Amino acid sequence: MANETLPVTLADIEVAARRIEGRVLRTPFTLSPSLTERCGVPVGLKLEHHQTTGSFKLRGATNAVLSLSSDERARGVVAASTGNHGRALAHAAKAEGSLATICMSRLVPENKVAEIRRLGAKVRIVGRSQDEAQLEADRLVAEDGLVMVPPFDNTAVVAGQGTLGLEIVDVMPDVATVLVPLSGGGLAAGVAAAVKGRLPKARVIGLTMERGAAMMASLEAGRPVQVEEVASLADSLGGGIGLANAVTFAMCRALLDDVILLSEEEIAAGMRHAYTQEREVIEGAGAVGIAALLSGRLGRLEGPVAVILSGRNVDMRLHRRAINGETDPFAEDAA
């Protein structure tokens, strides 16, 4: 599939970059001496966890809200979220005088729920999966007239996330490999479209956890499929991609060069390296790029390499247990 026939193009991402300028941060990009030495090629870290709401999600949410009409913003917006999109949408909606309602499952960590409430959004906790939360969001659209702003399967959201890819190419114009967290595919699709739009020979590799990797299962099946959602250090990568996925499945299938699955132990090692070597606190989903480099699963790397650290909204008790090397960081929560 040619890139220009995909749902979101480089031109769409460039428009999004101009639209959200001044409303989101242009996050730092720094060379990692420790990872560069380990990998034998330059490794740069895109510190997207320094974004205003603590994750890349603010880019897509802001572009989506700004793309709505004034009438749509007045009706209020709604989304299902594993936490970071909800926080971003609450922030973006509040900035434009709108009200967000965020539907989440019981698996979403309480620190993320509390922050969404602090931003003034309405919160609904429904079921034990992202799919169940999505059903509640669908109901609010049908019955209350709210406007859906999906966490990933939406062209405005994908275009907004893609602006991160433009920033990577701006500061590392010879980047050969980009490592991007992969869940529903909004970030991976947008970044891949941006990077490959500017640098067609660059490789973009999606990284996710072994536990409930919905996009990976869907790519292997050749169509969107459901998977069981279970607890993971990379909780932000949980949830399905939607059986009626219209945007991100096609883009990830066309643009990603590979997808790598990571164990909970490998994700914890990524979090630990980020903290001890890079002096960065990141959540499990944000650590998968570092985890992949440390694991050796990527094989021989073409450099320079850009690694996206995508989020910092982690429960610090969980973070502490993960970096201390506990074999089951969830044991205390389950007790």
Side-chain angles (χ1 to χ4, degrees):
M1 184 182 293
N3 290 2
E4 60 269 18
T5 67
L6 291 171
V8 177
T9 66
L10 174 62
D12 297 323
I13 297 168
E14 291 171 338
V15 169
R18 292 191 291 271
R19 182 180 289 128
I20 69 177
E21 186 175 4
R23 288 178 167 86
V24 305
L25 298 179
R26 188 179 180 92
T27 50
F29 187 91
T30 183
L31 191 69
S32 167
S34 63
L35 292 171
T36 294
E37 181 178 1
R38 184 184 185 98
C39 298
V41 295
V43 177
L45 304 177
K46 179 61 169 168
L47 307 182
E48 187 62 14
H49 59 300
H50 289 194
Q51 190 56 257
T52 303
T53 57
S55 85
F56 72 93
K57 291 286 191 177
L58 186 61
R59 296 173 183 267
T62 298
N63 191 50
V65 169
L66 291 175
S67 299
L68 298 176
S69 68
S70 57
D71 176 67
E72 288 172 321
R73 287 196 290 269
R75 284 156 53 191
V77 295
V78 63
S81 173
T82 53
N84 285 338
H85 175 65
R87 183 171 179 173
L89 185 58
H91 179 97
K94 185 177 181 179
E96 300 304 321
S98 185
L99 176 64
T101 299
I102 310 301
C103 303
M104 294 175 285
S105 83
R106 297 188 189 94
L107 292 179
V108 176
E110 179 55 36
N111 67 298
K112 294 185 177 182
V113 177
E115 182 61 20
I116 290 168
R117 287 196 171 104
R118 188 190 68 78
L119 287 167
K122 294 181 179 179
V123 171
R124 292 179 182 265
I125 306 298
V126 182
R128 288 189 56 81
S129 74
Q130 176 84 337
D131 291 330
E132 290 177 276
Q134 183 61 55
L135 289 174
E136 175 66 6
D138 292 338
R139 185 189 69 79
L140 293 172
V141 170
E143 297 181 8
D144 296 354
L146 302 187
V147 178
M148 184 76 71
V149 179
F152 52 86
D153 197 39
N154 174 278
T155 55
V157 169
V158 171
Q161 318 303 27
T163 62
L164 198 159
L166 295 182
E167 292 179 15
I168 289 174
V169 175
D170 284 347
V171 297
M172 188 178 267
D174 58 344
V175 64
T177 306
V178 179
L179 304 183
V180 55
L182 175 64
S183 178
L187 177 63
V191 167
V195 170
K196 288 176 177 284
R198 293 275 179 89
L199 300 171
K201 293 183 179 180
R203 286 171 52 81
V204 180
I205 299 174
L207 305 165
T208 190
M209 72 292 199
E210 291 177 345
R211 293 182 171 181
M215 182 62 79
M216 179 64 164
S218 298
L219 292 172
E220 290 179 336
R223 69 186 194 287
V225 297
Q226 287 183 311
V227 298
E228 181 182 0
E229 189 173 344
V230 296
S232 169
L233 283 172
D235 57 270
S236 294
L237 300 185
I241 70 167
L243 296 181
N245 188 290
V247 179
T248 61
F249 174 73
M251 294 188 69
C252 287
R253 181 172 57 181
L255 297 175
L256 292 182
D257 294 283
D258 200 359
V259 175
I260 304 295
L261 301 181
L262 296 158
S263 70
E264 296 299 299
E265 292 76 15
E266 288 166 338
I267 294 169
M271 296 170 72
R272 187 159 53 248
H273 179 96
Y275 183 72
T276 61
Q277 300 298 315
E278 313 297 341
R279 300 297 189 264
E280 302 288 346
V281 173
I282 53 177
E283 58 188 280
V288 290
I290 293 177
L293 291 176
L294 298 177
S295 72
R297 291 179 182 267
L298 295 168
R300 183 178 180 276
L301 273 173
E302 293 292 330
V305 177
V307 182
I308 297 172
L309 308 188
S310 56
R312 68 163 185 258
N313 300 321
V314 61
D315 183 316
M316 291 307 297
R317 295 171 301 170
L318 180 63
H319 183 271
R320 189 178 308 112
R321 297 200 297 275
I323 65 171
N324 284 340
E326 295 187 23
T327 56
D328 184 2
F330 296 99
E332 182 179 303
D333 294 332

